[in-house]
Amino acid sequence: MDGWTDPRAAMGTLPQYPHAHQDELVSAAGRGMAPVAAAVLGDGLVSVDADRTDGRQFFVLTDSRGGTATVWVDAVPLVRGTLADTATNTTSQHYVIRVSDRLPTRMLHRVLARELGELMAVRERAAEGLAPVREDSLREGTELPSEQALSVADRGRVGELNWLAARSSAPDVSPEQQAQARAEFSALLDPYGMRPTAAMSDEEAFRAQERAARARYRVAFGSLSTEAVGLLDTLAHPIEALPPADATALRAARDAAVRAERQVEAFIGRREITMPMPGYDQNGLPLPRDQLEPAAERWAQYREQVSERTVGALEGQLAAGQFPLRKVVIGGGASLTGRDPEALLVDAAGRWHLDPGNGIVQSADQDRDLAQWMGVDPYAAVEDPRHRVSIHAVRVWEDQLATQGDVVNGRARLRLGLGGELLAEIRPSGPDGQESDTPLWVACDGTPSIATGLTPDAVPGMPRGATGVESRSEAVRLIGDRLRELEGQAVPGARELRAWLTLAERGGADARTVLGALESSALKDALMDGLDEETGARMDNCFTALDSTGKWETAREAAPGRALLGDEVAENRFDPRAAQHWIIAGSGGTGVANAEIILRENPDAYVTIIGNAPPDALRHQVQYPEMLERYTTGENPRLTIGRTEVGAVETYQHENGETWFQADYVIEATGERRTARAAGYVCSLGRTNPLPPALQVLADEVRDRGGEISGDLQFDRDDQYIGYGLTFAVDGREHRVDVDGAASWQLPREIFAPKTGVQAALNEMGQRGLPSETGNAAPGFSPIARQSALRARAVAEAAAGDPDAVRRLPTVPERWQRPDLTRPSTVTSTAPAPAPAPVAMAAAAPTAVTPAVETETETETAAAPGTQADTPAEPTAQPTAQPTSEPTAQPAPEASAQHAPEASAGRGAPAAPAPGISGSHLWQMGVHRGGAGRPNAPDRQEQQPPPPGHEPPEPGVGLDD
């Protein structure tokens, strides 16, 4: 997902196309992918087969070695300034290119050329088990990286050059379009460092740039097409030596680029704000893999020291009669990417700190965008880019981010104060995990943020479907709402039963007690009377939900430690040897992860996973295929996967006197019916949608005082989802709370009712933004890191006075609705004939697949942006026809992350191109892009001592530091 940017997009001035433009872009991709692929991949490409499924466009590219790669293309809302990004899945060879739905159609094929170049670079290096080259070669300047190889971004740049070279002489485009492609090609040689820009009269500077240009040419030569090499021979000269027409076009492009860069600097002329770089040592280098585990231990100790220091400071203030007033963040995980160091973080260090598994289920290739959003290097944490990211690396990253400010290891919940103020009740936990009996109290300054991770597991037997009830708490709430209606109708006993039900739920009464009271009540029939069919079915399902919960509670009592929820396994709160055979109810990602943990932790265990067909996303991840190969084959397979509709838990009395579990299922491949019998049972059937635990008491207090709770979805100005917000209105006051992280993708049903369709729309948006082919999902580690970084930027901009930085909407923006792609695709299969050079490859494409007619509106032509926003580069010297063995320049200094300020949107207009001058529309080229393009975060202050080295340092942070 290594997005790349265009300065006009960064300034928010790309055209605001209607939603139908997404269809236009996808259709244009269908028409043009074949010639683009032929130009970029040359004789490495054998065929391109295109099709659509479920309203999505995809292409199957076959290479000369017989390998295939499936490339999906969609046009979606992207972060400001980003023209396109690509998710690379080298596990299942599926790649998802997402182009901005604000992209002018005329720019599409050039953008696709660059993305294809990048994804093929990732694919080729992963096939060799090699991590990507860290430093770019095709950049301006005289210094060259120590590794003489093209980076992923470089390969994208070469792909762009190859496409423009093909367009500059394509017989099926007009002479004007050929000239435009030639001018764009020439303009790129400056930022790519392939032409000297110093005056020839400045001999010393010119010669240094010329040597660097020749070195870059040698590095890129093997990836350049014959046409690109030919254009380089003609155009990679000092401007003084170019043909007059080319010199005029280049001069216009350079002049316009200088004007544009000055204007961009005016747009973004604010202080740069950086984010911490977790996972690096004191020298700015990624921690070696063999040091990750001890580093994780040191950082955990350091975090405990910071927590103790923070707790002591809070206790001191309270003891002195000072009530602390703090920004409050509850929860951590990947959402720590947006960590505000001025906020008090309360986090129990859960999930990834407790998970006994091998690591997150995606590979370094699949999570390569962590470098952009979290500032970490996932490749440094793996031996092979196709391997899963180490759990120790994740712990190091999170603890480094957590200790950027005050942190309390523990849990918190929000409460109402006596005067209606919003308070945080904090219960710290010690190294043994035990929570303090005495809470700390902090008054909330501003809007608290909740990021407590995935919502609770559902228990077996919950009714599904349109009238489904997902949990005991929802059942009690719906029955209570019905009793309130009966109370309003003056039905005797309704008020008393509702009051008892409320107290029983808050007091933790078991479901059997609650169900027994309702079943024996004289009001049971009244609960159903007068309801329409749908409402009546849902009320009946409330009783089913209570009954299923009661059976689950009984099973847990009868088989302590052997009837578990999935989170208990994921957080290592169980004994894997408590049973030798386990049934796992649920065949989704959580169930598979739980099975892996049990099989790894207990080498004698057998596991049977039952449920519906595993979701398609699993086969695109690293974990599931590896599990199938390791545990379902051989002489003694330890894993069985069966199909069934999972109902309430079933138990029986085993001959040894213990309560055991059983479940019927079918082996899908053979149709064989079996019954699993096991001493252990793990429920991993999906998530419920309640309020986060940190907010449940607050909600009760607000409702008890007659207040109301409402919610909205939050998006930034680029229509990127950054969580949901809740408003607690009580006693004439309103308290806002924001929910971020994985929890934000499970909207509480008591606020966002299922009938509104908001949750369904959010799910569809998440699936479109991260299709299953990426091997990722919206609540996953890397996507949440991205979401929280974007949220941090939006919140900071809102605090700075931008009223549109955080947009509160009732539902998902229309731009995220999938366009109608039901029209027949005009794409046919292509099989470019093998040729000695890429130019012949492109020419071999059949005439049925011609490049899309790249039309543009009059306004687009006036401001047609170039697609490269990299740092302006020094032009290169004239390259030789073949690479030479001339040694490279001095190695570049150690790589360090660079962060460029993000452009402010909509505060002016870009400099206009010079009318009548060929190539003057290329002013966008060479505007500084900066490092990884990471968004700005809130102001950061140095609050903690340097990170732990071999000896853990003493924490040096106090509450008021």
Side-chain angles (χ1 to χ4, degrees), residues 210-482:
E210 184 180 43
R211 286 192 297 271
R214 289 180 180 274
R216 292 188 179 96
Y217 173 71
R218 289 193 299 274
V219 173
F221 181 83
S223 300
L224 290 166
S225 68
T226 299
E227 290 173 309
V229 169
L231 269 187
L232 276 165
D233 288 342
T234 302
L235 298 175
H237 295 275
I239 193 169
E240 299 93 328
L242 288 177
D246 292 319
T248 299
L250 179 58
R251 189 173 295 108
R254 286 180 177 176
D255 290 345
V258 170
R259 293 195 302 271
E261 184 170 357
R262 290 171 180 166
Q263 186 158 5
V264 170
E265 287 174 351
F267 275 102
I268 63 176
R270 56 184 180 180
R271 180 170 55 88
E272 179 178 350
I273 302 169
T274 61
M275 297 282 282
M277 295 291 291
Y280 290 77
D281 63 17
Q282 291 88 340
N283 298 318
L285 299 176
L287 293 172
R289 289 189 300 276
D290 59 358
Q291 294 183 20
L292 287 173
E293 186 170 2
E297 295 176 359
R298 292 195 301 272
W299 274 101
Q301 295 170 8
Y302 178 57
R303 174 173 171 153
E304 183 63 33
Q305 294 175 27
V306 176
S307 175
E308 291 173 356
R309 178 69 60 88
T310 304
V311 169
L314 290 172
E315 289 174 337
Q317 284 187 278
L318 290 167
Q322 302 172 5
F323 206 83
L325 177 65
R326 298 297 302 270
K327 297 178 183 178
V328 174
V329 174
I330 303 174
S335 66
L336 289 170
T337 299
R339 166 79 157 107
D340 180 353
E342 296 181 357
L344 172 63
L345 171 67
V346 185
D347 178 32
R351 189 60 180 100
W352 298 114
H353 284 75
L354 303 175
D355 193 322
N358 294 330
I360 56 181
V361 299
Q362 286 80 29
S363 69
D365 277 338
Q366 291 169 333
D367 279 343
R368 68 189 183 114
D369 63 326
L370 280 171
Q372 180 177 4
W373 301 108
M374 194 177 239
V376 301
D377 183 1
Y379 291 106
V382 296
E383 183 177 353
D384 186 296
R386 296 162 294 185
H387 291 176
R388 293 161 62 179
V389 176
S390 162
I391 195 71
H392 303 299
V394 173
R395 291 169 182 167
V396 169
W397 300 340
E398 291 188 2
D399 284 346
Q400 282 191 262
L401 290 170
T403 53
Q404 291 294 313
D406 291 345
V407 61
V408 174
N409 289 342
R411 301 183 187 277
R413 57 184 183 178
L414 299 183
R415 304 285 302 272
L416 285 179
L418 295 178
E421 64 272 24
L422 193 60
L423 306 178
E425 179 189 12
I426 303 170
R427 293 192 180 270
S429 58
D432 58 357
Q434 294 298 313
E435 293 184 358
S436 171
D437 294 331
T438 305
L440 301 172
W441 293 91
V442 172
C444 297
D445 183 12
T447 301
S449 177
I450 309 295
T452 46
L454 295 171
T455 54
D457 293 291
V459 304
M462 289 295 114
R464 304 299 179 95
T467 59
V469 177
E470 66 174 17
S471 65
R472 161 221 173 107
S473 61
E474 183 178 24
V476 170
R477 176 174 58 82
L478 293 174
I479 293 172
D481 290 344
R482 176 59 176 156

Side-chain angles (χ1 to χ4, degrees), residues 35-36 41 51 86 92 116 145 157 168 176 214 271 324 387-388 420 465 575 635 659 738 782 823 903 919:
V36 169
L41 306 180
D51 204 348
T86 298
S92 63
L116 273 179
R157 296 175 183 118
S168 70
E176 292 78 11
R214 289 180 180 274
R271 180 170 55 88
H387 291 176
R388 293 161 62 179
D575 178 6
E635 296 181 358
T659 296
D738 291 342
S782 181
R823 297 178 302 171

Side-chain angles (χ1 to χ4, degrees), residues 6 25 98 196 210 220 243-244 369 389 470 476 515 631 648 692 718 772 775 787 792 821 860 872 914 918 952 958:
D6 169 77
L25 285 168
R98 291 158 296 199
E210 184 180 43
D369 63 326
V389 176
E470 66 174 17
V476 170
L515 181 62
Y631 295 115
D718 303 314
S772 60
Q787 174 182 309
L821 298 179
E860 286 174 12
S918 174

